[in-house]
Each structure stands twice: as structure tokens, then as C-alpha cells.
Amino acid sequence: MNEKSSGSFIVAVDGPAGTGKSSATKRIADLLGLIHVDTGALYRGVAYLCIEAGFDLNFDESDHGAITKIAQKAQLEFRRMKNRNPANRLFVNGKDVTTQIRSPELSLMASKVSAIPEVRGALKELQRTLGASAPSILEGRDIGTVIFPQANLKFFLTASIDERAKRRLSEIEAQGGDSLSFEEMREQIRIRDEGDMNRAIAPLKKAEDAIEIDTTLFTLDQVVEKMAALIQEKRR
Ligand code: DC
């Protein structure tokens, strides 16, 4: 499917981990009636299946074929369940893995499997289908550059690494996940940034026509307000 064919309204939000992308896009989706698509969760879903199949962070190129097969065969589905928190759940081959995919190990594994070009290829159509089904806001690393280069509006969120580590820690704490120390989290984010920005295919980078917002000194409310106003203006 071509991203232009649906004629749907699409907002692309990219940026590194911990910039507030998820929190902001979820809020904006509710506020403006857009479908929220967390594309990172799809890579995490594939990483979950890889770990389940016995792979760990030390996998190498000789494993790429097997990992690609896992990604190609994976059934990844978002389901909205109003009585659950978070309401938007990820089901992988029929199993709800929403909580499991947020662990620190899964974060690194997702970053690593996402560097395999065939894995990215396997998830491309799904992301386009999800985004094109209705007016949507998609968050990820390459939405504005690769998945929906013709998006109606593109944002690129940034924040200092210390602030991002702080945010990720409170996010995990709020979800009751395993906690790391501040230094460990900072180091993990640094490793992920490095991997995500330097991979050969679809590296994390700002699309030329994206609006960059440094969220370090803004509250979530301020970021949401700013982005929502720009989206509303574009939608008119
Ligand atoms: O957004 P997140 O932290 O849940 O993403 C997990 C990993 O998935 C991230 O480190 C890189 C990868 N990812 C990607 O390569 N492209 C996307 N569009 C979204 C995530």
C-alpha cells in the first residue's frame, strides 16, 4: 500500500527514547481523535519472540535469517481494552505482552533487532496499514523519513540525556517494572541512541521538513499544547 493512497491525515513523531514521544502522542491522540500507533512496540514484540526463541543480546549475523523469519511470521496486533492500564495492548501471536516488552533487556533487544534490514522490511507494511486506516499519529524513529515521508505533519522530539533517563525511570516505576539506577539507565539510553542513529538502514534522524521540539525544559502539558495547536492548524 502506498502511504498516499488512503488520503488519511497522518502525523509523524520521531525522536530518541525518553523524549516524551509516547506520553505526548497518546494524549494528543485522545485529544484530537487520532489513532495512536506506537511503532516501537512492534519492534519490541519481535524482540520478545526472539528472546522466547532462545536468542539473547549476543546474537550475530548468522542469526539474522532466523530472526527475520520470526519477524515475518509474527502476528502483531494492537487491541484497545478500556478496563486495562494502559488501554492500548500489544498482542503477539495471540498473547498480551504489553508489560513484558517494557523491560530494560527488551529495550536493548528491540534496538538490536531493529537494525536488521529484513526485520524493518517485515514491519513496514503493517505500520503503513495501521497508519492509513484512519487519521493517525505514529511515533517511532523513521516515520517521517521512511514509513510516511508524505505525512501531513512531522515532529522530531529531543531532550538532554539526563532528562530522558529521569523520565524513563519514572515511567518504568509507574508501570511497576524492574528498576535500574540512574547511571545504568543513562548508559542504556546512550547505547540505544548510538545503535539507533548509526545503523545502516533507516537510522534515527530528523526529516528535513520536521518541526524540532527540544522538550528538556517543557512540561508534558506544554509539549502537548504546542503540538496539538500545530496539528489543528494543519487539519483545518
Ligand atoms: O520507541 P521505543 O523505545 O519503544 O523503541 C524500541 C526500539 O525499536 C528502538 O530502540 C529502536 C526501534 N525502533 C525503530 O527502529 N524504528 C521505529 N519506528 C520505532 C522503534
Side-chain angles (χ1 to χ4, degrees), residues 49-62:
L49 289 175
C50 292
I51 288 177
E52 201 181 53
F55 292 104
D56 62 23
L57 284 168
N58 298 316
F59 76 79
D60 60 28
E61 240 181 295
S62 66

Side-chain angles (χ1 to χ4, degrees), residues 4-218:
K4 270 179 150 177
S5 62
S6 71
S8 212
F9 183 82
I10 287 164
V11 181
V13 184
D14 292 302
T19 49
K21 271 192 328 270
S22 278
S23 315
T25 49
K26 265 183 227 152
R27 289 262 290 269
I28 292 166
D30 285 346
L31 205 66
L32 305 182
L34 302 170
I35 301 270
H36 171 246
V37 184
D38 172 5
T39 63
L42 302 176
Y43 288 97
R44 288 171 183 269
V46 172
Y48 174 86
L49 289 175
C50 292
I51 288 177
E52 201 181 53
F55 292 104
D56 62 23
L57 284 168
N58 298 316
F59 76 79
D60 60 28
E61 240 181 295
S62 66
D63 301 315
H64 284 193
I67 290 177
T68 298
K69 280 213 180 76
I70 291 176
Q72 287 167 341
K73 284 202 327 215
Q75 289 198 344
L76 302 160
E77 194 194 339
F78 289 111
R79 289 188 208 160
R80 235 186 132 67
M81 302 173 90
K82 276 190 186 148
N83 54 344
R84 303 292 304 276
N85 185 24
N88 209 9
R89 321 287 301 175
L90 178 72
F91 282 74
V92 170
N93 295 346
K95 183 175 168 196
D96 185 345
V97 297
T98 312
T99 309
Q100 292 94 313
I101 60 167
R102 295 294 149 195
S103 76
E105 187 195 12
L106 248 290
S107 298
L108 288 174
M109 192 68 173
S111 177
K112 233 190 136 180
V113 301
S114 75
I116 302 173
E118 292 78 12
V119 169
R120 305 199 71 79
L123 297 184
K124 205 168 180 171
E125 283 309 305
L126 174 60
Q127 293 174 77
R128 287 187 175 160
T129 305
L130 289 170
S133 59
S136 303
I137 183 162
L138 292 94
E139 52 152 317
R141 303 291 189 286
D142 63 339
I143 308 303
T145 50
V146 176
I147 303 297
F148 285 110
Q150 309 299 333
N152 299 75
L153 197 56
K154 300 179 187 177
F155 291 98
F156 192 82
L157 303 190
T158 61
S160 74
I161 191 159
D162 282 5
E163 181 62 26
R164 292 194 282 133
K166 235 167 64 190
R167 287 179 190 169
R168 267 280 144 130
L169 281 177
S170 31
E171 220 174 84
I172 291 173
E173 211 175 304
Q175 290 171 0
D178 290 345
S179 200
L180 298 176
S181 72
F182 175 77
E183 279 71 28
E184 284 168 335
M185 179 54 84
R186 198 177 184 283
E187 179 59 8
Q188 213 190 76
I189 288 183
R190 194 193 60 72
I191 294 170
R192 266 216 293 157
D193 280 0
E194 204 171 274
D196 294 350
M197 289 190 293
N198 296 317
R199 67 181 172 225
I201 179 170
L204 167 66
K205 71 166 195 266
K206 177 183 168 300
E208 262 177 35
D209 50 350
I211 299 165
E212 183 165 343
I213 302 178
D214 182 343
T215 67
T216 310
L217 300 175
F218 291 137

